[in-house]
Amino acid sequence: MDPIRIAVVGMGKIARDQHLPAISGNPNFNLAATVSPNHGGEPGIPHFKTLDELLESSTGVDAVSLCTPPQVRYELAVSALRAGMHVFLEKPPGATLSEVVALTARADKVGTSLFASWHSRFAAGVAPARAWLSERVIKDVKIIWREDVREWHPGQDWIWEPGGLGVFDPGINALSILTHIMPSPVFLNTATLSLPANRAAPIAADIQFRDTAGTPIHMDLDWRQVGPQSWDIIVETDAGQLKLSNGGAVLSLPSGVERNEDMEYPGLYARFATLIRGGRSDVDLDPLRLVADAFLRGKRQSVEEFHD
């Protein structure tokens, strides 16, 4: 079976650190092209300033990974789908729920695969956590997701603009895990969003969720953390405590601690290949829906200005 010829659109840090190595390590894919107006390409690989330039060229491409900021992703995805390409959407899958729904319908109509990727779901501890919780009574959940924005998103102004999500850019990773491991659907009760006086997106958020079984879920998001970073989900059950730490990479159970190799992006590309070979799509909007609910229902408070 011939490899899937894939182009990476948007050659920033996430593309170089995660996408390119995952593609290189998967025999189902062959990197056919890169696209970026601001960054160079890879040695020996055709590079284009825009997706339109790629589509107008003679370079053969079957699929694209869209690693751009979400605010500009919809039009790129439409162009790719119109050209009959399979589309991988880096998280979050779009700037709004409605545009991702529209993309899903378009992909179904043209018969190509659309993949709304949630890389944290492929962290080593997530699948076994989901399996363990499926047989337990869950009493309480706490999410502590605190990091230093200056370390992880230096100079990325788009992330503070409408549609850039602010602190929910990392926070949606926690929600992608939460909605995957919880046996019952989750919804928002209350939220307080802290917005710097000079920014349009929050730098912190305090949120109360619960699931349809009545389980209380508290989420503490903050981009002002210094020192050790915190990416933890703690679940109290009738059989003891489950803890996912380091973004889901480490699973702690009453029976002990499990640590396995980080396979998030390799796992995403294995899933994308399976979808393409099987003629299917995978577009789960639950994490983005919870973020939208926080913006819809959340109380906003102004905090001190943020400057890089």
Side-chain angles (χ1 to χ4, degrees), residues 187-192 206-210 217 294 297-299:
F187 61 92
L188 182 141
N189 280 344
T190 63
T192 300
D206 188 89
I207 308 171
Q208 297 286 346
F209 299 101
R210 71 179 177 93
I217 303 165
R297 193 171 182 184
K299 173 185 175 181

Side-chain angles (χ1 to χ4, degrees), residues 32-115:
T34 58
V35 177
S36 177
N38 302 315
H39 300 84
E42 294 293 291
I45 304 297
H47 180 74
F48 301 88
K49 292 291 186 182
T50 67
L51 179 59
D52 285 343
E53 286 184 9
L54 168 59
L55 296 177
E56 292 167 2
S57 76
S58 59
T59 304
V61 174
D62 306 305
V64 294
S65 286
L66 299 183
C67 306
T68 64
Q71 295 98 321
V72 301
R73 205 174 292 153
Y74 173 77
E75 296 297 342
L76 294 170
V78 167
S79 295
L81 292 171
R82 187 182 293 125
M85 295 178 181
H86 309 287
V87 176
F88 178 119
L89 300 170
E90 178 57 87
K91 69 88 190 171
T96 69
L97 288 164
S98 298
E99 67 185 32
V100 184
V101 170
L103 290 176
T104 304
R106 184 179 289 269
D108 289 344
K109 184 175 182 179
V110 300
T112 59
S113 296
L114 183 68
F115 183 29

Side-chain angles (χ1 to χ4, degrees), residues 20-294:
L20 296 186
I23 291 168
S24 176
N26 190 321
N28 286 293
F29 291 98
N30 175 55
L31 183 62
T34 58
V35 177
S36 177
N38 302 315
H39 300 84
E42 294 293 291
I45 304 297
H47 180 74
F48 301 88
K49 292 291 186 182
T50 67
L51 179 59
D52 285 343
E53 286 184 9
L54 168 59
L55 296 177
E56 292 167 2
S57 76
S58 59
T59 304
V61 174
D62 306 305
V64 294
S65 286
L66 299 183
C67 306
T68 64
Q71 295 98 321
V72 301
R73 205 174 292 153
Y74 173 77
E75 296 297 342
L76 294 170
V78 167
S79 295
L81 292 171
R82 187 182 293 125
M85 295 178 181
H86 309 287
V87 176
F88 178 119
L89 300 170
E90 178 57 87
K91 69 88 190 171
T96 69
L97 288 164
S98 298
E99 67 185 32
V100 184
V101 170
L103 290 176
T104 304
R106 184 179 289 269
D108 289 344
K109 184 175 182 179
V110 300
T112 59
S113 296
L114 183 68
F115 183 29
S117 69
W118 300 108
H119 65 82
S120 291
R121 286 184 176 175
F122 290 83
V126 173
R130 174 184 167 102
W132 194 83
L133 289 174
S134 69
E135 300 176 349
R136 307 291 186 268
V137 175
I138 301 174
K139 299 180 178 181
D140 178 81
V141 182
K142 291 182 174 61
I143 302 170
I144 304 165
W145 222 258
R146 289 171 159 256
E147 63 181 46
D148 184 351
V149 65
R150 290 184 174 91
E151 178 179 348
W152 297 99
H153 297 281
Q156 295 183 13
D157 288 339
W158 65 267
I159 214 162
W160 296 104
E161 297 298 327
L165 299 189
V167 75
F168 285 99
D169 181 80
I172 205 170
N173 294 334
L175 295 176
S176 73
I177 295 174
L178 177 73
T179 54
H180 192 60
I181 65 175
M182 292 292 286
S184 301
V186 173
F187 61 92
L188 182 141
N189 280 344
T190 63
T192 300
L193 311 183
S194 299
L195 281 73
N198 61 333
R199 302 288 182 171
I203 197 168
D206 188 89
I207 308 171
Q208 297 286 346
F209 299 101
R210 71 179 177 93
D211 69 2
T212 54
T215 308
I217 303 165
H218 177 242
M219 185 177 204
D220 172 15
L221 285 177
D222 206 314
W223 246 353
R224 299 166 295 192
Q225 181 90 328
V226 294
Q229 311 284 277
S230 304
W231 301 290
D232 302 323
I233 299 177
I234 303 164
V235 185
E236 302 292 346
T237 80
D238 61 338
Q241 184 185 92
L242 175 150
K243 182 177 181 180
L244 283 167
S245 53
N246 197 22
V250 179
L251 172 62
S252 301
L253 296 170
S255 58
V257 179
E258 299 181 12
R259 292 182 176 87
N260 293 293
E261 183 182 0
D262 175 17
M263 294 296 290
E264 290 187 15
Y265 277 82
L268 286 176
Y269 276 93
R271 175 65 173 161
F272 192 33
T274 298
L275 293 172
I276 293 171
R277 302 296 193 197
R280 295 179 292 122
S281 292
D282 181 356
V283 185
D284 181 2
L285 288 176
D286 283 347
L288 185 58
R289 186 176 291 113
L290 290 177
V291 172
D293 287 348

